[in-house]
Amino acid sequence: MSLNRYTQKRNFNSTTEPQAKEEKPKAELVFVVQKHAATHLHYDFRLEIDGVLKSWAIPKGPSMNPEDKRLAIMVEDHPYAYKDFEGIIPEGNYGAGKVLVWDHGTYTLTDETQDINSIGNTFKSNLENEHLGFILNGEKLKGEFALVKLKIKQKNAWLLIKKKDSFATDEDILKKDKSVISNLTLEAL
Ligand code: MN
């Protein structure tokens, strides 16, 4: 896991996004979903592992309906501190536009190995095996999900899928459109 690509894409004299820094793991791993009105509106789904946030851009956003399969494009790792980033990336910068923290919380891998010291290896081997299962405990997203790599030419294309459990619903979770930090909508930000 490396933050080099993250740093290469950004000018920290010009954006208020956090600078690259890896963090030691705390007792629980965190996830965050940021709603990002860049050139195209999308949701950035990020899972903490090995001190950074593995990141996927989801054009249609996550769904709590197991019948929806949402395209998720793996993008560059982001620093741990990015989980709290909400604000406006100024014009002329990479990803210019408004960002709000749409959801956050903790997660565990579906695998039985939950030892904080070995979970990084389990996570990496699951990524290599193109199937990552996890359980989210967020304010909006809850229950079991999977990221499954698409076997197509476009590299970095995955699907985010809700698994069937008691949290699954066909209600549109994206209608809950406010920040879990500021309670603002994207428009109000
Ligand atoms: Mn984004």
Side-chain angles (χ1 to χ4, degrees):
M1 318 270 172
S2 161
L3 293 172
N4 293 342
R5 280 183 62 215
Y6 176 84
T7 300
Q8 281 162 11
K9 287 169 183 275
R10 290 169 177 81
N11 172 4
F12 294 105
N13 296 320
S14 173
T15 179
T16 54
E17 293 167 287
Q19 296 202 28
K21 180 172 178 290
E22 293 182 20
E23 307 258 346
K24 292 235 164 63
K26 317 279 187 298
E28 290 189 290
L29 296 171
V30 303
F31 83 94
V32 64
V33 183
Q34 278 147 323
K35 188 174 179 182
H36 185 185
T39 313
H40 299 284
L41 180 72
H42 61 274
Y43 293 73
D44 290 300
F45 181 77
R46 312 189 196 280
L47 296 171
E48 176 198 357
I49 199 69
D50 286 348
V52 301
L53 303 174
K54 293 304 282 184
S55 298
W56 287 261
I58 306 180
K60 290 188 174 176
S63 172
M64 293 296 287
N65 186 343
E67 294 188 4
D68 292 336
K69 292 174 174 54
R70 294 288 162 89
L71 181 65
I73 306 297
M74 189 187 266
V75 296
E76 77 274 19
D77 295 350
H78 279 51
Y80 179 78
Y82 211 93
K83 70 185 179 54
D84 301 316
F85 178 72
E86 181 165 290
I88 300 170
I89 302 172
E91 278 302 314
N93 288 275
Y94 178 70
K98 295 177 176 179
V99 176
L100 67 72
V101 177
W102 180 80
D103 195 17
H104 61 188
T106 57
Y107 82 94
T108 54
L109 293 183
T110 310
D111 307 74
E112 283 178 29
T113 315
Q114 300 299 347
D115 177 0
I116 199 87
N117 297 307
S118 62
I119 204 164
N121 289 332
T122 308
F123 191 108
K124 270 183 238 169
S125 66
N126 290 349
L127 281 188
E128 280 160 22
N129 292 329
E130 307 187 337
H131 187 286
L132 185 70
F134 47 89
I135 297 156
L136 300 180
N137 183 21
E139 296 186 33
K140 296 171 185 170
L141 300 179
K142 291 180 191 291
E144 191 177 348
F145 289 78
L147 275 161
V148 182
K149 189 141 190 249
L150 274 172
K151 298 186 192 310
I152 57 171
K153 269 194 183 166
Q154 185 190 358
K155 59 171 192 170
N156 300 334
W158 296 65
L159 292 174
L160 178 68
I161 304 164
K162 178 79 194 77
K163 307 299 270 188
K164 286 179 187 163
D165 61 16
S166 61
F167 296 108
T169 170
D170 59 8
E171 277 175 47
D172 184 4
I173 193 78
L174 300 180
K175 285 187 177 158
K176 296 183 178 176
D177 62 350
K178 289 181 179 165
S179 163
V180 291
I181 290 182
S182 63
N183 211 33
L184 296 172
T185 62
L186 213 51
E187 293 70 33
L189 192 74

